[in-house]
Amino acid sequence: MIGRMMVRFRLDGLGAEKMLNAARQQGLPLEKVERGKNREIFLHCPMRSYPAFCELAREKGFSVGEAIPVGGYCWLQYLRSRWGLIVGAALCLALLIASMGCVWQVQVENAGAYAGEVRLFLQEMGVKAGIRKADVDVSLLREKLEWRLPRVKWVQVEMRGVVLAVRLEEGVPPPEIESAGAPGDVIAASDGILTRLTVFSGTPAAKTGDYVRKGQILIRGEERGSDGVMIPVKARGEAMARSWATARVQLPLWEMISLPTGRQETRRVIMSPVFSFSAAEEAEYLTSDRRIETLPLGGAWFPLWLQREEFLEVSLEKSQRDAEEVKQEGARAALRMLNQSLNPNEIVDKWVDFSMIEGDTIVVEATAEIIRDIGRYQKN
């Protein structure tokens, strides 16, 4: 390491070229030779060769100036006298690396009415500014938040540098419990199997485990009074049930493809925001592809451009598609439609069925089993 540290010094005396030749003959490495003002000569050599060069110079009658560190050796000499700077820089680097391993900001985004609940949850979990990233399990936080807030569509928890971001997508808010209005029943909004029936007012007309049809009365709008007589009331309650939702798409097993015939025409059109002009008409092809290239002619104060239009005549032909590829495309489309229409937190299971109609069309039906409140108030 020391052998490669370079120094710079001055050589004084007449016939410096002879001195340089003598140094090379003795194997003393000279990395660089510079001529300064007043016919001065400055040399660069490794630090370990400098004493030998000085001894040779004295024998030949030359004088050698003081060795000045250059390059990496210069920095080493500079840092040797400034150990505090080195320690401070190392300490700052260590603190920076340590700080990057911590969370310094917690953001709750798009939470709406759930913002306070999310902040309370994070406080209960001990998640706050200054916590180590290694102590934060984003997957566990997301799962617990989804369980705690079943009415949201989805929850996203992620690290963004030193920021922990919690983002929600609010779902459809639960219907408000009506406490005023005319007497009425709670009916089933869809078919399903009751998993829990909670009655706030009225008389239950079904029980857990019953298969109910859409429109069937679940809670009757009547209660027995103190005198034993049934009096009309506004039925209220929650009817949680297993129900099913479907999304259906149809895809043909063929597609139309365009094949070029080889015929083509080109025209140029002068365009502006208020008019267009061309000496040629559009190609009268039944079907064609068009390519457009635009070349500005004016500037911001005179918007005018030249448009080159190329018409390529094509013929349309039916092409058979791979059935498995069509099934996969249809399944993705049906599941996407199903997810958009449902609250993902309510889904228990989902599956896809395929069928064929008319020999060249695949029908894809995605079905989801969900648990939700199917009770709806109906005025008598």
Side-chain angles (χ1 to χ4, degrees):
M1 179 68 181
I2 294 179
R4 295 304 303 167
M5 294 179 180
M6 304 298 295
V7 293
R8 180 176 183 266
F9 56 92
R10 187 178 65 185
L11 178 66
D12 295 324
L14 297 176
E17 289 78 7
K18 295 180 180 180
M19 175 62 198
L20 298 180
N21 291 332
R24 290 192 181 95
Q25 290 176 359
Q26 293 195 12
L28 297 177
L30 298 176
E31 300 287 338
K32 191 175 181 181
V33 178
E34 299 175 343
R35 285 195 177 274
K37 297 179 181 180
N38 302 322
R39 304 175 72 178
E40 297 173 326
I41 294 181
F42 294 91
L43 307 177
H44 291 238
C45 78
M47 179 62 184
R48 65 180 181 184
S49 302
Y50 176 71
F53 192 90
C54 292
E55 182 67 25
L56 179 62
R58 282 194 294 269
E59 293 177 1
K60 301 293 185 181
F62 292 87
S63 63
V64 178
E66 181 182 358
I68 301 174
V70 295
Y73 186 37
C74 178
W75 278 104
L76 182 60
Q77 292 294 99
Y78 175 80
L79 293 176
R80 276 181 177 176
S81 59
R82 291 168 176 81
W83 285 108
L85 178 63
I86 299 176
V87 174
L91 184 59
C92 289
L93 181 61
L95 290 175
L96 177 61
I97 294 174
S99 66
M100 292 300 292
C102 297
V103 174
W104 294 110
Q105 187 177 2
V106 179
Q107 293 181 351
V108 179
E109 303 172 356
N110 200 40
Y114 299 103
E117 184 69 18
V118 173
R119 291 192 178 93
L120 178 61
F121 166 78
L122 294 174
Q123 183 179 353
E124 293 173 355
M125 295 294 294
V127 178
K128 58 184 179 180
I131 188 173
R132 294 173 61 249
K133 289 182 180 179
D135 297 333
V136 180
D137 188 338
V138 293
S139 299
L140 180 62
L141 289 178
R142 177 179 55 80
E143 292 175 4
K144 288 192 173 184
L145 260 180
E146 287 178 346
W147 178 263
R148 183 161 178 161
L149 305 174
R151 296 293 185 180
V152 299
K153 287 183 181 179
W154 52 263
V155 178
Q156 182 183 41
V157 183
E158 62 178 351
M159 290 287 185
R160 299 174 186 167
V162 295
V163 177
L164 176 67
V166 180
R167 189 169 186 271
L168 308 183
E169 183 69 25
E170 292 188 64
V172 179
E176 295 183 1
I177 297 176
E178 301 181 39
S179 57
D185 304 319
V186 172
I187 65 171
S190 63
D191 297 351
I193 300 175
L194 285 178
T195 59
R196 185 178 73 249
L197 182 64
T198 305
V199 179
F200 302 134
S201 65
T203 304
K207 63 181 184 299
T208 301
D210 285 354
Y211 180 81
V212 297
R213 296 283 187 179
K214 181 178 180 180
Q216 180 178 334
I217 296 176
L218 305 178
I219 305 174
R220 295 189 184 278
E222 58 182 15
E223 289 182 352
R224 191 175 301 276
S226 58
D227 55 359
V229 178
M230 301 299 291
I231 58 175
V233 297
K234 183 172 184 178
R236 295 184 296 114
E238 184 182 59
M240 301 301 295
R242 291 172 55 196
S243 58
W244 297 266
T246 60
R248 191 169 184 262
V249 296
Q250 295 184 15
L251 294 176
L253 284 173
W254 51 269
E255 63 181 347
M256 297 298 294
I257 61 174
S258 59
L259 299 175
T261 64
R263 297 176 60 194
Q264 66 181 48
E265 291 186 15
T266 302
R267 73 168 188 162
R268 290 173 172 79
V269 185
I270 297 176
M271 306 287 293
S272 80
V274 295
F275 73 90
S276 63
F277 171 76
S278 175
E281 299 292 332
E282 288 191 9
E284 297 183 353
Y285 297 144
L286 183 61
T287 55
S288 64
D289 292 334
R290 186 170 70 163
R291 299 173 183 170
I292 297 177
E293 296 179 359
T294 302
L295 176 65
L297 297 178
W301 302 105
F302 188 61
L304 191 70
W305 62 92
L306 178 64
Q307 183 169 288
R308 181 178 180 274
E309 300 178 346
E310 184 177 3
F311 298 89
L312 306 174
E313 185 183 38
V314 296
S315 61
L316 301 179
E317 293 185 5
K318 275 189 175 182
S319 175
Q320 194 72 19
R321 296 186 63 189
D322 180 68
E324 192 61 34
E325 180 182 339
V326 175
K327 285 183 178 180
Q328 294 177 5
E329 181 182 332
R332 289 193 295 269
L335 288 172
R336 184 167 57 250
M337 292 172 57
L338 190 64
N339 289 332
Q340 289 174 351
S341 64
L342 299 175
N343 182 348
N345 292 322
E346 297 174 343
I347 296 177
V348 176
D349 192 13
K350 55 187 174 183
W351 60 90
V352 178
D353 295 315
F354 304 94
S355 59
M356 185 81 70
I357 60 173
E358 300 179 0
D360 61 353
T361 301
I362 289 181
V363 179
V364 184
E365 190 171 76
T367 305
E369 179 184 340
I370 55 181
I371 295 181
R372 59 181 174 180
D373 183 4
I374 64 171
R376 296 294 181 267
Y377 166 74
Q378 178 178 272
K379 182 180 176 181
N380 285 341

